[in-house]
Amino acid sequence: MGNVRELGPISLCSPCPGLRVTEVDWQRLRNGTAHHTQEYPGSNLVVRRGQRFTFTLELNRPLESEETLIFTVETGPQASEALHTKAVFQTSELERGDTWMAVKEAQTENTTTFSLASPPNAVIGRYQLSARVSSRRKHSDRKLGEFVLLFNPWCPEDDVFLDSEEERQEYVLNDSGIIFRGVEKRIRAQGWNFGQFEEDILNICLSILDRTPSYQDDPATDVSHRHDPVYITRAVSAMVNSNNDRGVVQGQWQGKYGGGTSPLHWRGSVAILHKWFKGRFKPVKYGQCWVFAGVMCTVLRCLGIATRVVSNFNSAHDTDRNLSVDKYVDSFGRTLEDLTEDSMWNFHVWNESWFARRDLGPSYNGWQVLDATPQEESEGVFRCGPASVTAIREGDVHLAHDGPFVFAEVNADYITWLWNEDESRERVYSDTKKIGRCISTKAVGSDSRVDITSLYKYPEGSRKERQVYSKAVKKLFSVEASGRRARVRRGGGRGLWRDDLLQPATKPSITGKFKVLEPPVLGHDLKLALCLTSLTSRAQRVQVNLSGATILYTRRPVAEILHESHTVKLGPEEEKKIPIAISYSQYKEDLTEDKKILLAAMCLVTKGEKLLVEKDITLEDFITIKVLGPAVVGVAVGVEVMVLNPLSERVKDCSLMVEGSGLLQGQLSIDVPSLDPQEKASVQFKITPFKSGPRQLQVDFVSPHFPDIKGFVIIHVATAK
């Protein structure tokens, strides 16, 4: 018997004397297995819509043949049948998929088993179930208990149906995952504990829905819309950030995290959601894009919507919807922050959720982009999506919701302008097609990275890709009846015609690229070379202005660490290398937790040609994690972590921060002894798994002397024999 609820005798007011319910058995184990909800903790029954669940009533006497139970289910305040937040129905032998129904499954003496089924488009959330016996006299319903109803990706009639068991296991039931960060040429995997089955998380996720401005304004109407995944995901997108409401996470991109937690110190969503809930809905400080995406993935998986985390490298933030990221630089290639409104982030992380788009038509069913990072307002609120991935690929940017912004994130042209002292500007030759590279997500059933760029756009430069781009431009840029083109205002009062943006820069007679001579390692000097090659048969003189800066992952400069000029004479078709050395002492004080450096070379060729060469560098670090034996539920197993002091100085006050859903209750902090320069150390500890299956153990090497070094390992935990 699963989850038996003892009741003080509940009279169902039968015309036959004294019918009372003495116990309700929600058959939580049986229902949990059938509904894939057995991992949710707590005593409440959790089931999915569009599917039967069973429960047993223990009565004080047998139910007579002429007696029929009438059930009532209701959710939210002021529940009503008109709003589909209340249903009244009696036991029946007929099965109908479009309404609530009940069937008497079995009866033995005083025990009667019923099955209830909700329609596949039922409102999700907390429900109350009550019952009464049918009779000519009107009697009030008697409460039997509560249950939680979720979306059902296993139900073909549910809008969130996903027709792959492997994908359902990954995108609904997997409570850990991987978020890809770094730069296009050096993509790094970071573990993340979604923890949707941890204590109180389901309750917190439902509370998020009850904190939306729509619910606060009109709770009955808001709840009635909760059958629709478009409505739910759009609401969650707004509530995960705190910009328009007392949402979950407060963003911070300035590199200063006083009074809160650095975004890079979070290892999962559970601690964030608990902190928000226990703090009476005060926004948790601080998050950046991967934190917003990790939390949103937790909430939507918890509610039953298949969701994954997606990383876009060289991601555009197009503030004026002109499909162009316009970057203004000085003669050393340094970004002029006061003139540059658009930006290109090293990477940006968002979510995709899988559901049907009844508002758009079946062509746009499937993966939908959702982004909780507060970048631009959508209908007056900081949120983004759902935007159909198919619509983005086909250039249908006019469709709901926020298609132009998402399309620009993966398709915008990257335009560089040299801003002269006389306030004139010139196009600089650079890679205009660097936006939207290596769009990545975790593979189903493994830790590998899957490139899904082809889901968002056709091959770069192909005829189809150019056609889609032109289609999107036509939908975005209006042409007035008089023939005058719509003008786009830029920062500083400059107006640019779209034709001006489409005029290519003159291709210079040289090429250039940065080459890393030694792996860029945290704590070490950096050694690179700028390689310049002449493309002509004549000699040329090139003025090379080099700059370097520590940056945030948004490519916002923090501090300059390199500033030098060289004059290079290139013979016909000659290649020359300019060596570049940046010592650790030059960057150590200004390196951010992102561990990123941006190098730029503005190359000014004899005949006025200009070439900008850029290189994003992420410094590498070292940590290894090894499990010392088989992992079994309820049995302690050793873990060995190998760390390295990356610096050329002794460090102390270091520690390991350890977390893992199903492996540890909460977080574990372990002191690391002082380490000499470049010294390696082995730290061992034990964990006792309490859940079987693949489990992710995260270990961060934390020090006040250098940015956190993060690692993770997947542990396959066996069930105890």
Side-chain angles (χ1 to χ4, degrees):
M1 301 281 278
N3 190 34
V4 176
R5 181 169 178 254
E6 298 251 358
L7 298 171
I10 297 177
S11 171
L12 298 180
C13 302
S14 166
C16 299
L19 181 62
R20 296 188 302 277
V21 177
T22 57
E23 285 182 0
V24 179
D25 177 7
W26 291 106
Q27 301 190 23
R28 196 167 175 277
L29 183 60
R30 174 184 173 183
N31 288 320
T33 302
H35 287 251
H36 306 91
T37 57
Q38 67 269 38
E39 293 291 330
Y40 290 100
S43 58
N44 275 358
L45 176 67
V46 181
V47 291
R48 300 186 187 277
R49 66 186 190 176
Q51 183 176 342
R52 285 190 182 198
F53 65 93
T54 60
F55 62 94
T56 299
L57 297 182
E58 187 76 30
L59 305 172
N60 66 320
R61 63 166 176 79
L63 195 63
E64 301 291 341
S65 59
E66 69 274 9
E67 293 177 315
T68 301
L69 285 187
I70 297 176
F71 295 100
T72 300
V73 292
E74 48 193 333
T75 182
Q78 301 161 15
S80 74
E81 293 178 273
L83 291 174
H84 304 288
T85 52
K86 178 181 179 180
V88 180
F89 51 98
Q90 65 183 27
T91 52
S92 169
E93 299 303 320
L94 298 175
E95 290 201 30
R96 292 181 58 190
D98 59 348
T99 186
W100 286 86
M101 58 163 288
V103 174
K104 185 166 74 171
E105 299 282 358
Q107 180 174 346
T108 56
E109 296 185 354
N110 295 0
T111 301
T112 306
T113 299
F114 298 90
S115 67
L116 259 62
S118 61
N121 63 345
V123 167
I124 62 108
R126 302 180 183 93
Y127 275 83
Q128 288 191 356
L129 174 65
S130 54
R132 60 184 168 87
V133 177
S134 62
S135 71
R136 295 176 182 176
R137 294 159 51 199
K138 184 173 179 61
H139 298 286
S140 60
D141 290 354
R142 298 305 172 109
K143 182 178 176 181
L144 298 179
E146 298 178 352
F147 63 93
V148 174
L149 190 69
L150 302 178
F151 289 103
N152 193 351
W154 284 264
C155 175
E157 290 77 32
D158 195 315
D159 281 352
V160 304
F161 174 64
L162 179 59
D163 191 17
S164 164
E165 181 59 26
E166 286 186 337
E167 292 185 350
R168 292 190 293 250
Q169 291 290 326
E170 180 68 55
Y171 299 136
V172 182
L173 301 183
N174 195 348
D175 60 3
S176 66
I178 293 172
I179 299 175
F180 294 100
R181 302 172 62 250
V183 294
E184 174 198 352
K185 297 292 176 64
R186 180 66 179 170
I187 296 173
R188 302 287 297 273
Q190 173 187 335
W192 191 266
N193 175 28
F194 297 122
Q196 66 266 37
F197 303 118
E198 294 290 312
E199 198 70 41
D200 277 339
I201 294 300
L202 175 56
N203 179 49
I204 294 169
C205 293
L206 294 172
S207 297
I208 287 173
L209 301 181
D210 291 345
R211 300 300 302 177
T212 64
S214 297
Y215 182 87
Q216 301 296 316
D217 292 344
D218 186 352
T221 301
D222 175 80
V223 171
S224 73
H225 290 308
R226 293 184 186 177
H227 66 94
D228 181 5
V230 174
Y231 185 85
I232 289 283
T233 56
R234 194 152 169 79
V236 172
S237 171
M239 279 300 298
V240 168
N241 71 69
S242 65
N243 284 44
N244 302 100
D245 41 54
R246 290 171 64 84
V248 179
V249 181
Q250 181 174 326
Q252 173 60 274
W253 283 269
Q254 305 303 316
K256 299 174 182 177
Y257 310 115
T261 300
S262 162
L264 275 163
H265 290 182
W266 300 114
R267 286 167 287 279
S269 309
V270 176
I272 295 171
L273 290 167
H274 279 161
K275 187 177 179 69
W276 177 75
F277 190 70
K278 292 175 181 176
R280 297 187 177 184
F281 315 114
K282 183 178 180 182
V284 177
K285 301 176 180 179
Y286 292 102
Q288 290 173 358
C289 66
W290 66 92
V291 179
F292 292 109
V295 171
M296 185 141 144
C297 190
T298 296
V299 175
L300 295 181
R301 286 188 184 183
C302 188
L303 297 178
I305 300 176
T307 302
R308 63 188 185 184
V309 176
V310 173
S311 299
N312 177 38
F313 291 87
N314 297 345
S315 188
H317 183 174
D318 180 20
T319 59
D320 52 20
R321 297 188 6 153
N322 68 346
L323 292 185
S324 171
V325 170
D326 302 297
K327 176 178 176 177
Y328 290 83
V329 300
D330 66 10
S331 60
F332 276 76
R334 296 172 295 192
T335 303
L336 298 173
E337 292 287 305
D338 57 331
L339 300 181
T340 303
E341 293 182 346
D342 295 339
S343 59
M344 182 191 78
W345 295 9
N346 284 144
F347 66 92
H348 181 47
V349 185
W350 58 68
N351 299 101
E352 288 177 0
S353 291
W354 182 278
F355 49 85
R357 292 301 299 268
R358 292 182 180 272
D359 55 331
L360 304 182
S363 298
Y364 302 100
N365 293 350
W367 290 117
Q368 314 290 325
V369 173
L370 294 150
D371 192 347
T373 300
Q375 296 179 92
E376 296 290 324
E377 290 186 342
S378 172
E379 297 176 334
V381 178
F382 279 96
R383 59 188 169 188
C384 182
S388 162
V389 173
T390 299
I392 300 304
R393 188 185 66 223
E394 300 303 327
D396 294 324
V397 295
H398 60 293
L399 299 175
H401 294 273
D402 308 310
F405 186 79
V406 178
F407 186 88
E409 286 183 304
V410 299
N411 283 295
D413 283 337
Y414 185 70
I415 310 295
T416 306
W417 302 90
L418 173 62
W419 189 253
N420 298 312
E421 291 183 2
D422 63 358
E423 296 197 355
S424 64
R425 56 174 175 75
E426 303 172 69
R427 276 284 298 269
V428 177
Y429 189 83
S430 61
D431 182 4
T432 62
K433 299 301 175 190
K434 63 169 63 179
I435 300 291
R437 299 277 181 88
C438 303
I439 304 175
S440 304
T441 193
K442 176 187 176 298
V444 173
S446 82
D447 297 337
S448 58
R449 181 181 70 86
V450 177
D451 192 308
I452 57 171
T453 308
S454 61
L455 298 183
Y456 281 83
K457 56 186 181 180
Y458 292 96
E460 198 74 65
S462 67
R463 182 180 177 185
K464 184 66 174 176
E465 185 265 341
R466 287 292 90 190
Q467 289 174 344
V468 168
Y469 189 88
S470 298
K471 175 182 176 182
V473 168
K474 288 175 182 176
K475 290 182 182 298
L476 284 176
F477 294 95
S478 60
V479 179
E480 299 176 11
S482 63
R484 291 182 291 125
R485 290 174 293 274
R487 198 168 187 179
V488 184
R489 301 303 300 178
R490 299 295 310 149
R494 292 171 302 285
L496 302 181
W497 299 109
R498 179 65 198 173
D499 285 358
D500 187 19
L501 296 176
L502 293 176
Q503 291 297 321
T506 303
K507 187 173 183 178
S509 53
I510 63 168
T511 63
K513 68 175 182 178
F514 285 104
K515 185 176 181 180
V516 178
L517 303 179
E518 294 180 3
V521 178
L522 176 66
H524 290 229
D525 297 347
L526 305 181
K527 296 181 180 179
L528 306 95
L530 175 65
C531 304
L532 297 177
T533 304
S534 172
L535 301 177
T536 71
S537 56
R538 66 178 187 276
Q540 299 188 89
R541 182 188 298 269
V542 183
Q543 172 76 23
V544 179
N545 296 333
L546 289 167
S547 65
T550 57
I551 59 169
L552 304 171
Y553 82 99
T554 59
R555 289 187 118 213
R556 183 175 180 269
V558 175
E560 188 170 66
I561 58 174
L562 177 69
H563 184 94
E564 59 188 45
S565 295
H566 302 264
T567 300
V568 180
K569 294 180 180 179
L570 286 177
E573 299 179 352
E574 181 184 11
E575 178 181 326
K576 281 190 176 179
K577 296 180 180 179
I578 302 174
I580 302 167
I582 302 174
S583 68
Y584 171 61
S585 61
Q586 284 177 264
Y587 71 77
K588 73 172 185 176
E589 298 298 332
D590 298 305
L591 189 69
T592 71
E593 293 182 330
D594 294 309
K595 298 189 282 251
K596 295 186 185 300
I597 291 172
L598 174 62
L599 297 179
M602 180 67 79
C603 305
L604 310 172
V605 193
T606 330
K607 292 188 174 181
E609 301 168 348
K610 296 171 181 64
L611 170 69
L612 178 65
V613 184
E614 293 182 309
K615 176 74 172 179
D616 292 274
I617 297 170
T618 301
L619 301 181
E620 299 174 5
D621 48 38
F622 172 88
I623 187 170
T624 62
I625 308 166
K626 184 179 180 182
V627 183
L628 306 175
V632 180
V633 170
V635 180
V637 63
V639 178
E640 180 183 48
V641 179
M642 189 71 72
V643 295
L644 167 72
N645 172 14
L647 308 184
S648 55
E649 57 194 56
R650 182 177 174 83
V651 297
K652 58 181 182 177
D653 300 324
C654 301
S655 63
L656 298 181
M657 299 300 296
V658 187
E659 182 176 322
S661 179
L663 299 172
L664 291 164
Q665 299 282 4
Q667 297 181 353
L668 180 65
S669 178
I670 302 165
D671 291 336
V672 176
S674 297
L675 297 172
D676 289 329
Q678 303 297 312
E679 182 185 1
K680 283 186 178 181
S682 169
V683 180
Q684 294 191 12
F685 57 92
K686 290 190 175 183
I687 60 173
T688 303
F690 55 92
K691 288 186 178 181
S692 61
R695 298 287 160 190
Q696 184 184 90
L697 183 71
Q698 294 181 60
V699 182
D700 288 6
F701 182 28
V702 178
S703 168
H705 309 283
F706 49 81
D708 290 5
I709 297 173
K710 308 176 82 68
F712 69 93
V713 66
I714 302 297
I715 302 176
H716 293 274
V717 181
T719 304
K721 294 181 180 179

